[in-house]
Amino acid sequence: MSQTLIYGLSNVLGRVFPFLLTPLLTKEFGPSFYAPFIDFYSAAGILMVVLSHGMETSIFRFVTLEKDKNKVYSTALFSIFLVCLVFVVLGLWFQDPFALWFKNPGKGNFVAWFVLILSLDALSAVPFAKLRIEEAALKFGGIKILNAVLNFVLSLFFLFALPYFVENGSNWAAMLYKPEYGIGYVFLANLLASAFTFLCLIPTLLDIPFKFDFSLWKKFMPYALPIMIAGLGGVINQSLDRQFLKYLLPASTAATQVGIYGAVYKISTFLLLFRQAYLLGIEPFFFSHAQNKDAKKTYAKLMHYFVLVNCIILLGLVANLDLLKYYLGQPKYWEGLSVVPIILIAEVFLGIYLNLSIWYKLSDKTYIGAIISLIGAFLTIVINLVFIPKYGYWASTWATFIAYFSMCAISYKWGKKHYPIKYPMKIISFYLLTSILFCILSYYLFDKNIIIGNLLLFFYLALVFVLEKDSIQKMKNEK
């Protein structure tokens, strides 16, 4: 539990700083000037999945099967290194054409920084996985937090401190400051933070012999490639809609819609923080406890409480959205708030799906995860292509919800056949449906009324207390 707590804390703190940076960026930049930040980072997820190509999850699986753990680490690292090498060469060589393709002409330096950021982060995945397996939670958490702090501080320095010094006649600041970079300074800050993180991981990397075991790699790939495909499907569902908005909407409105949609989507970070903290600590637990007699009962109980916490966060956010709008900086972004409840509900279903996905990883049927993710990606692509020209980011919002809900339902049904776990579906469904109903009442029927929204939240918490009091008492007695 202490390990999970450290992983969770480091993940939360690591996400808090980018979350705090968002209102500063949206206050400084209007939607159209903020759009390149959303645009590039929406592509980052897809590229990171390709660069890592399932190696991180494969490491967790194969260290339990192979006697020589270093051989597992080194083979995964070498595989990622080769892919990153090709990526860096192509990215740097064609940086200007890529910038034009991203509809950011003249921003080849943004592309170059972006390519280096992603490559450093991909190479860092192996030593981070090694630290998790060795239960070096403090080192893992410390490096993650340092990365986030440095990224945040450098972003503030480049975007706000440097212009201040220039205005006050500083010669050294005038030499450093490039006003044409604008939002691009966030990329530069990220690059420096990623480079620092990689340097911190060098001692861990030096423990890994840089050797490539082709026979082991051949075992990796049937397991890893479906994970990569599943990851691509997942990222398409999460972020490709920003690209569709950019290319399917008129040039006069595309950047503004991308900026608004990307900004309001950041409110889902509250759910993302909990989900990532949970998954970061729980994924190694799932693998290490798979052979235990009561493993499936434990998985069912974890799902129960995972859904419950997500529903409480969901309702708390929706009840207070009229306050959270000030997080977005400029009122120009507020018009996008009406899609946020649907985005948040969709994110809850994504969390459930990710929790369900353990069954095909444990049963070595990762190809099923790829199929499910591709179904979700297909729905996302079709809905966005058909409806964005008419409905803009509303189409993207509903595409996200439909894709995540479908993936969740398919995974649950498929899992009952191949790896049956007796989830307490009655109570889970009650918590889920009640929270969604209260969200709809709070935001749409009662028109964002904060008092009514929070009354519904307190009523929901009271219901939870009544329904969970026996479990709470049992946990107290066990202590």
Side-chain angles (χ1 to χ4, degrees):
M1 182 59 71
S2 60
Q3 295 280 324
T4 303
L5 181 63
I6 293 170
Y7 288 131
L9 183 62
S10 66
N11 186 65
V12 168
L13 292 175
R15 290 281 180 175
V16 161
F17 288 106
F19 183 69
L20 293 175
L21 186 62
T22 295
L24 300 175
L25 296 178
T26 52
K27 186 176 181 180
E28 182 73 13
F29 302 100
S32 60
F33 292 100
Y34 180 63
F37 174 74
I38 298 297
D39 183 17
F40 275 85
Y41 279 92
S42 69
I46 296 172
L47 294 169
M48 277 299 294
V49 170
V50 175
L51 293 175
S52 59
H53 53 281
M55 287 294 115
E56 186 176 10
T57 303
S58 298
I59 288 171
F60 289 118
R61 181 59 174 162
F62 281 88
V63 290
T64 63
L65 303 175
E66 297 287 331
K67 291 182 180 179
D68 188 354
K69 291 183 179 180
N70 276 335
K71 188 165 66 173
V72 174
Y73 299 137
S74 61
T75 302
L77 180 61
F78 199 92
S79 187
I80 292 174
F81 173 77
L82 289 177
V83 176
C84 286
L85 182 62
V86 174
F87 178 65
V88 169
V89 170
L90 291 175
L92 296 182
W93 189 265
F94 296 105
Q95 58 183 269
D96 290 325
F98 283 142
L100 191 61
W101 184 75
F102 262 94
K103 293 195 173 182
N104 281 279
K107 304 295 184 183
N109 54 335
F110 289 10
V111 173
W113 297 340
F114 191 60
V115 165
L116 294 172
I117 290 166
L118 296 180
S119 298
L120 287 169
D121 289 349
L123 290 169
S124 298
V126 174
F128 272 131
K130 186 173 186 289
L131 291 176
R132 286 171 66 187
I133 290 165
E134 293 174 348
E135 298 186 346
L138 285 174
K139 186 174 181 180
F140 177 98
I143 295 173
K144 285 283 187 181
I145 292 168
L146 282 173
N147 172 275
V149 172
L150 185 60
N151 198 342
F152 182 72
V153 171
L154 287 173
S155 296
L156 294 182
F157 173 75
F158 288 132
L159 289 170
F160 303 104
L162 264 184
Y164 173 81
F165 289 129
V166 170
E167 289 175 6
N168 285 273
S170 173
N171 292 328
W172 67 266
M175 292 174 63
L176 290 175
Y177 185 55
K178 305 289 183 184
E180 65 273 16
Y181 285 178
I183 196 73
Y185 271 122
V186 179
F187 298 102
L188 183 57
N190 195 342
L191 174 59
L192 294 174
S194 293
F196 173 78
T197 299
F198 188 75
L199 288 174
C200 290
L201 290 168
I202 283 179
T204 306
L205 280 166
L206 292 175
D207 290 339
I208 302 172
F210 198 54
K211 295 180 181 178
F212 184 67
D213 190 307
F214 186 68
S215 61
L216 178 60
W217 185 78
K218 287 195 295 183
K219 294 179 184 178
F220 268 27
M221 297 316 288
Y223 187 86
L225 286 180
I227 290 175
M228 184 187 78
I229 295 169
L232 283 173
V235 172
I236 286 171
N237 295 326
Q238 288 175 333
S239 58
L240 198 64
D241 47 12
R242 282 70 156 181
Q243 299 298 319
F244 283 124
L245 289 169
K246 180 176 69 177
Y247 288 108
L248 295 177
L249 290 173
S252 58
T253 60
T256 299
Q257 288 233 359
V258 170
I260 291 172
Y261 184 63
V264 299
Y265 211 110
K266 291 284 186 180
I267 294 175
S268 67
T269 300
F270 289 101
L271 278 169
L272 178 67
L273 287 174
F274 170 71
R275 183 173 74 227
Q276 290 201 335
Y278 170 84
L279 292 174
L280 193 63
I282 215 68
E283 190 174 50
F285 173 85
F286 280 145
F287 284 111
S288 62
H289 286 70
Q291 304 304 319
N292 290 4
K293 188 174 76 170
D294 295 327
K296 290 185 178 182
K297 288 183 180 179
T298 303
Y299 300 160
K301 188 180 291 185
L302 286 169
M303 175 68 88
H304 173 188
Y305 291 112
F306 176 79
V307 172
L308 174 55
V309 175
N310 268 276
C311 289
I312 293 171
I313 297 171
L314 164 68
L315 189 51
L317 291 173
V318 174
N320 294 283
L321 267 181
D322 209 40
L323 288 176
L324 289 172
K325 70 183 181 183
Y326 295 104
Y327 165 78
L328 298 172
Q330 298 184 25
K332 292 178 182 179
Y333 293 93
W334 295 357
E335 68 176 68
L337 283 169
S338 53
V339 303
V340 173
I342 300 163
I343 290 171
L344 293 173
I345 294 168
E347 288 291 322
V348 171
F349 281 107
L350 174 61
I352 296 171
Y353 166 71
L354 293 173
N355 212 31
L356 288 169
S357 69
I358 194 63
W359 73 262
Y360 61 72
K361 293 178 182 177
L362 290 173
S363 56
D364 290 336
K365 291 181 169 63
T366 53
Y367 67 90
I368 291 178
I371 293 171
I372 295 170
S373 289
L374 288 175
I375 292 170
F378 174 78
L379 291 170
T380 297
I381 292 169
V382 170
I383 295 171
N384 276 288
L385 283 174
V386 173
F387 294 106
I388 275 180
K390 186 174 182 179
Y391 298 104
Y393 54 65
W394 270 101
S396 300
T397 302
W398 281 108
T400 300
F401 173 79
I402 292 168
Y404 288 162
F405 177 81
S406 301
M407 291 164 62
C408 187
I410 294 167
S411 184
Y412 174 70
K413 289 292 185 182
W414 217 333
K416 285 177 69 175
K417 179 180 179 181
H418 293 281
Y419 195 88
I421 297 174
K422 292 183 179 179
Y423 293 113
M425 289 307 298
K426 287 184 179 180
I427 189 67
I428 287 175
S429 299
F430 175 78
Y431 285 145
L432 194 55
L433 293 174
T434 304
S435 66
I436 291 173
L437 174 62
F438 284 4
C439 285
I440 294 170
L441 291 174
S442 171
Y443 194 82
Y444 298 109
L445 185 64
F446 293 108
D447 194 28
K448 310 182 285 292
N449 188 293
I450 293 175
I451 295 174
I452 293 176
N454 281 288
L455 285 174
L456 289 170
L457 172 61
F458 288 131
F459 181 66
Y460 188 83
L461 291 171
L463 279 175
V464 169
F465 178 76
V466 171
L467 294 171
E468 298 291 332
K469 63 181 181 181
D470 290 340
S471 298
I472 294 170
Q473 188 61 48
K474 186 177 178 181
M475 284 190 286
K476 286 181 178 179
N477 294 336
E478 287 176 355
K479 288 181 180 180

